[in-house]
Amino acid sequence: MLGNIHQAFLGIWHHKLRSFLTMLGIIIGIAAIITIVSTIKGTNDQIKENLIGSGNNVVVVSLHQGDYQMDLSEGQNLADVSVITEETRQRLEELDGVVAVALFRQRQWNAQVYYRGTEYNGYTYGIDEHYFPVYGYHLCYGRDFQPEDRDENRKVAVLDAQAVSSIFPGENAVGKTLEIKGEPFTVIGVVERSSKFRPVIESMQDYYMYADDSSGSVFLTEQGWEIAFGYDEPQNAAVKAESTDAMTTAGKSVADHLSAKQIRNSKENNLSYKSEDLLQQAEQLQTMSDSTNKLLIWIAAISLLVGGIGVMNIMLVSVSERTHEIGLKKALGAKRRRILGQFLTEASVLTSLGGLLGILGGIGLAKLLSKAMDTPTAISVPAIIVAAAFSIMIGLIFGLLPATKAARMNPIDALRRD
Amino acid sequence: MILKMDNICKSYFRGKNEVPVLHDICLSVEKGDYLAIMGPSGSGKTTLMNILGCLDKPSSGVYRLEGENVAAKKDNALAELRNKYIGFVFQSFYLMPSMSALDNVALPLMYAGVPKKERLERAREALRGVGLAERMKFLPNQLSGGQCQRVAIARAMAGRPALLLADEPTGALDTASGEQIMDLFDEINARGSTIIMITHEPAIAARAKTVCHIRDGRLSVPGEEVR
Ligand SMILES: Nc1ncnc2c1ncn2[C@@H]1O[C@H](COP(=O)(O)OP(=O)(O)OP(=O)(O)O)[C@@H](O)[C@H]1O
Ligand SMILES: [Mg+2]
């Protein structure tokens, strides 16, 4: 076996150019597959990361009417929905799979945030002290909310980096005053999330909904929120789950608990708390991006098929070139299996060498592509293993016919031919 | 008795025409015999040699080699038979061009399943036997024709076969190297091996113990003409 492999390498080296040209189909096919799979995986990882928030495992539970999230932009306080107390929040944290719960209120439209007469169009949040830790925000500069800010109802705001760049481009935001619903709020600090948000599949609107955070966030304390937007508005809960897999169940149990405890006459109002199932949405997005790449995989598979036929062709040539050798070996007592093994080994060494070059080329191409087009790629180890196994298999499959032909050769015919 | 042929016939088909090449060949060879087969070109010498060497099967008749019925064997079994009982020497040597003399000689031993160390040792011994102790690592294209043929003889004898079959072993060599080869054959025969050799040249045939003639596919063995 080892001798066969050695012989195969010698043979391939002897016909360098021919072997390389033969391998080309395999190289291109495997490289294409590795590149595509790496890009798919990179994109998927990015989608998941963007949607789920890079290991933060936070799922949002919010008030829904029917299947739709309740629109609270007019500042209604709903008589049938009571405000979630600290005691309830602590109870929620004890639920299965839940690590921490933060409460917040939120506006995207109609927040009426102005700086020097220009309106700001991002999100505005009223948050409790658990919100930043739950989402993994950390302070960039200035200062975080202090207990005194809450106790003394100070009108202060913390911005994230995007909000800073959209409201105060090129300026230091700390110390500036924002006008929110006619009330002046002083910016005291700037925060940032550890994971970067970057849209990948720009054609998908769904994706935008979650990934388009470009206009940023302005954060107020709960107390500040009440000054600007009014009291007793229903809260949302940001639930940090134990693990990514626990997100769905953790979100659901918090939602069920809140629906049962906080809402009166939920039937008539058709009100309930629901958790957005990000994991499920991420999977849906992934299957969508997968299917767009299925076509490419097919093209790569056809290239492999063509490559395999090329290998078969060159192996047939090799067999007829070596009729003497085969005839002699058979005359000296080589059995069919041995001849078969020799040519199968040669074919699969040829294709696995092609596969190896293809894998290296594919990794290189994926890296290059991610540099040039600024798309993420993730090298998939299983894909590499499958590609390697596949290229050996192509050699075995397409080498079988030539090898069988060689093994069945009649020694006298083989010896006679000059 | 090493081998016995009874009424061996061989014909080839050219399209639908049956072309008979060998007719009713009867031949018995005892251990230690040294046979030369002579005949004009196209008379069927190589065809007979192929059948004797279990490379080809007769169309009819019975051929027994060391008691085994050759006609009944399949491809793989024939390979085993050749490996075990027969050493071949061809007119144009047929060495593996990419292998050293030593590896060429060791090749049939590999097919016989001899472990590597032993097979190299036996190959070295066989090469020493043909006077090529100094040239074991040489490739065939670094050797002269006579040396190549001696490597081929070493390869044929390394497996200690009962029968050495040679098809015009001196055909591609000058007289001097041909003489050396014939001396080797004498030596091999003197050590008890059986040899069947095909040749055109009467001077070469004269070195054998028995000379048979083949003409139009009919073999005449001296002393048996009467039959
Ligand atoms: N495979 C074959 N198919 C058809 N005819 C064949 C085949 N092999 C040999 N023959 C014929 O059989 C006859 C004998 O051939 P063979 O090779 O045995 O002759 P030879 O005595 O060895 O001749 P030479 O001395 O030239 O080597 C020839 O007429 C040849 O054409
Ligand atoms: Mg001949």
Side-chain angles (χ1 to χ4, degrees):
Chain A
M1 187 65 201
L2 234 63
N4 272 349
I5 292 173
H6 179 72
Q7 281 299 313
F9 271 112
L10 285 183
I12 288 167
W13 187 244
H14 187 69
H15 298 285
K16 284 181 275 289
L17 182 65
R18 185 170 102 178
S19 306
F20 176 73
L21 291 176
T22 307
M23 284 188 277
L24 212 53
I26 307 284
I27 295 176
I28 292 172
I30 294 283
I33 286 181
I34 293 290
T35 311
I36 294 163
V37 170
S38 302
T39 313
I40 292 176
K41 186 165 181 287
T43 311
N44 282 353
D45 287 357
Q46 180 94 40
I47 292 172
K48 223 173 183 171
E49 187 177 308
N50 284 2
L51 282 181
I52 295 170
S54 171
N56 279 326
N57 300 332
V58 177
V59 57
V60 172
V61 175
S62 56
L63 192 62
H64 282 61
Q65 185 154 43
D67 284 334
Y68 300 98
Q69 195 173 343
M70 194 77 198
D71 177 23
L72 296 168
S73 57
E74 298 303 329
Q76 317 74 327
N77 51 30
L78 300 163
D80 286 330
V81 181
S82 52
V83 171
I84 304 166
T85 60
E86 173 61 16
E87 199 188 344
T88 310
R89 194 194 65 79
Q90 282 174 7
R91 175 109 21 91
L92 292 175
E93 287 189 334
E94 281 154 23
L95 290 172
D96 246 11
V98 178
V99 174
V101 175
L103 301 174
F104 66 97
R105 301 181 174 101
Q106 176 195 352
R107 287 275 190 290
Q108 184 177 16
W109 298 285
N110 205 17
Q112 296 175 30
V113 179
Y114 291 94
Y115 177 65
R116 291 191 178 148
T118 313
E119 188 167 10
Y120 154 76
N121 284 317
Y123 290 86
T124 307
Y125 296 91
I127 60 172
D128 65 4
E129 64 269 36
H130 307 287
Y131 188 90
F132 284 159
V134 160
Y135 270 106
Y137 279 98
H138 58 88
L139 191 68
C140 286
Y141 51 91
R143 64 172 181 86
D144 198 351
F145 295 125
Q146 301 299 319
E148 301 84 66
D149 295 325
R150 299 179 185 279
D151 296 344
E152 297 171 17
N153 298 332
R154 290 184 191 159
K155 290 186 268 186
V156 287
V158 168
L159 274 58
D160 73 355
Q162 280 106 330
V164 171
S165 63
S166 86
I167 305 173
F168 310 102
E171 289 178 67
N172 182 3
V174 175
K176 298 275 179 345
T177 304
L178 284 173
E179 187 194 319
I180 302 174
K181 284 260 188 181
E183 297 280 343
F185 279 79
T186 308
V187 178
I188 55 168
V190 177
V191 289
E192 202 173 50
R193 265 178 94 163
S194 7
S195 72
K196 266 201 231 148
F197 272 61
R198 212 159 38 131
V200 181
I201 332 170
E202 287 156 35
S203 59
M204 269 184 273
Q205 282 191 322
D206 275 359
Y207 182 73
Y208 268 134
M209 267 182 65
Y210 296 98
D212 182 18
D213 222 21
S214 58
S215 47
S217 310
V218 170
F219 300 102
L220 312 177
T221 59
E222 287 170 300
Q223 292 76 9
W225 179 274
E226 288 176 349
I227 295 169
F229 297 98
Y231 297 88
D232 292 348
E233 192 178 306
Q235 300 121 301
N236 303 303
V239 179
K240 187 179 173 72
E242 229 164 51
S243 64
T244 310
D245 294 328
M247 284 174 68
T248 309
T249 47
K252 195 166 181 326
S253 51
V254 168
D256 290 348
H257 191 91
L258 288 177
S259 295
K261 288 277 155 62
Q262 306 298 126
I263 305 173
R264 284 178 298 275
N265 308 322
S266 61
K267 278 265 164 55
E268 293 116 75
N269 295 327
N270 196 16
L271 287 175
S272 63
Y273 275 97
K274 282 187 177 163
S275 65
E276 44 182 359
D277 198 338
L278 293 178
L279 208 57
Q280 194 190 334
Q281 286 168 14
E283 273 158 17
Q284 272 169 11
L285 282 175
Q286 277 167 23
T287 53
M288 280 169 73
S289 69
D290 279 356
S291 67
T292 57
N293 285 307
K294 282 245 167 67
L295 189 71
L296 291 172
I297 294 279
W298 272 109
I299 291 170
I302 287 169
S303 146
L304 281 181
L305 184 75
V306 172
I309 292 170
V311 168
M312 179 153 77
N313 187 38
I314 217 71
M315 287 309 296
L316 284 171
V317 170
S318 174
V319 166
S320 61
E321 272 178 357
R322 279 147 67 184
T323 27
H324 268 319
E325 177 191 323
I326 298 162
L328 177 70
K329 285 182 169 173
K330 291 199 83 171
L332 294 182
K335 292 189 185 167
R336 283 187 176 181
R337 285 178 67 111
R338 195 176 279 274
I339 306 288
L340 194 81
Q342 180 195 340
F343 282 92
L344 280 184
T345 308
E346 187 170 321
S348 45
V349 164
L350 191 69
T351 54
S352 49
L353 213 62
L356 195 72
L357 291 177
I359 289 169
L360 294 178
I363 292 173
L365 207 66
K367 288 257 159 78
L368 214 71
L369 215 69
S370 83
K371 273 243 174 74
M373 292 169 49
D374 202 30
T375 53
T377 53
I379 304 305
S380 151
V381 176
I384 287 174
I385 293 169
V386 167
F390 207 68
S391 51
I392 293 175
M393 232 169 60
I394 289 172
L396 292 177
I397 290 170
F398 289 94
L400 193 63
L401 180 84
T404 310
K405 195 181 160 204
R408 294 239 171 107
M409 215 172 247
N410 190 344
I412 31 169
D413 291 341
L415 279 176
R416 196 197 329 269
R417 215 170 295 170
D418 271 322
Chain B
M1 192 172 306
I2 279 187
L3 65 87
K4 187 159 171 34
M5 283 184 152
D6 282 310
N7 302 97
I8 292 289
C9 295
K10 178 73 185 178
S11 17
Y12 289 108
F13 285 89
R14 241 184 230 120
K16 280 190 178 159
N17 296 348
E18 190 178 347
V19 184
V21 177
L22 297 178
H23 303 274
D24 291 321
I25 306 274
C26 297
L27 180 68
S28 4
V29 177
E30 301 289 338
K31 187 166 166 23
D33 274 0
Y34 185 177
L35 218 71
I37 297 176
M38 292 191 73
S41 187
S43 55
K45 300 185 297 291
T46 300
T47 307
L48 176 60
M49 177 69 85
N50 287 340
I51 294 173
L52 281 168
C54 307
L55 290 165
D56 204 357
K57 288 197 210 176
S59 307
S60 69
V62 180
Y63 172 32
R64 287 188 172 277
L65 173 67
E66 291 278 9
E68 304 206 47
N69 184 2
V70 176
K73 305 257 174 189
K74 291 236 163 53
D75 199 30
N76 276 339
L78 286 176
E80 218 175 294
L81 220 59
R82 290 191 291 269
N83 187 262
K84 205 162 148 194
Y85 296 127
I86 300 168
F88 289 99
V89 176
F90 303 97
Q91 180 173 354
S92 41
F93 327 136
Y94 287 148
L95 297 177
M96 297 285 293
S98 61
M99 290 186 186
S100 68
L102 187 69
D103 288 338
N104 263 291
V105 175
L107 196 59
L109 298 176
M110 180 169 91
Y111 299 146
V114 179
K116 183 160 188 174
K117 232 179 126 182
E118 191 190 336
R119 115 181 145 224
L120 289 179
E121 193 37 58
R122 276 168 68 177
R124 268 187 219 107
E125 188 192 308
L127 277 170
R128 260 180 245 122
V130 298
L132 286 176
E134 310 294 305
R135 300 238 177 345
M136 296 194 186
K137 294 287 174 207
F138 283 51
L139 291 175
N141 62 11
Q142 297 165 326
L143 295 170
S144 74
Q147 288 167 338
C148 281
Q149 195 61 302
R150 280 190 277 159
V151 173
I153 292 169
R155 179 180 65 191
M157 296 313 294
R160 294 169 198 141
L163 179 63
L164 179 67
L165 283 179
D167 191 351
E168 313 226 18
T170 61
L173 303 177
D174 60 57
T175 327
S177 339
E179 281 297 313
Q180 285 185 335
I181 299 298
M182 292 330 292
D183 292 344
L184 264 177
F185 275 29
D186 284 346
E187 236 177 84
I188 288 166
N189 182 240
R191 266 188 263 124
S193 291
T194 314
I195 300 177
I196 301 179
M197 170 178 73
I198 286 174
T199 182
H200 272 120
E201 299 167 60
I204 298 290
R207 312 259 316 229
K209 287 179 185 164
T210 318
V211 181
C212 310
H213 290 269
I214 187 166
R215 188 173 292 274
D216 293 334
R218 286 174 213 281
L219 185 73
S220 57
V221 183
E224 287 184 25
E225 284 105 281
V226 254
R227 212 180 62 174

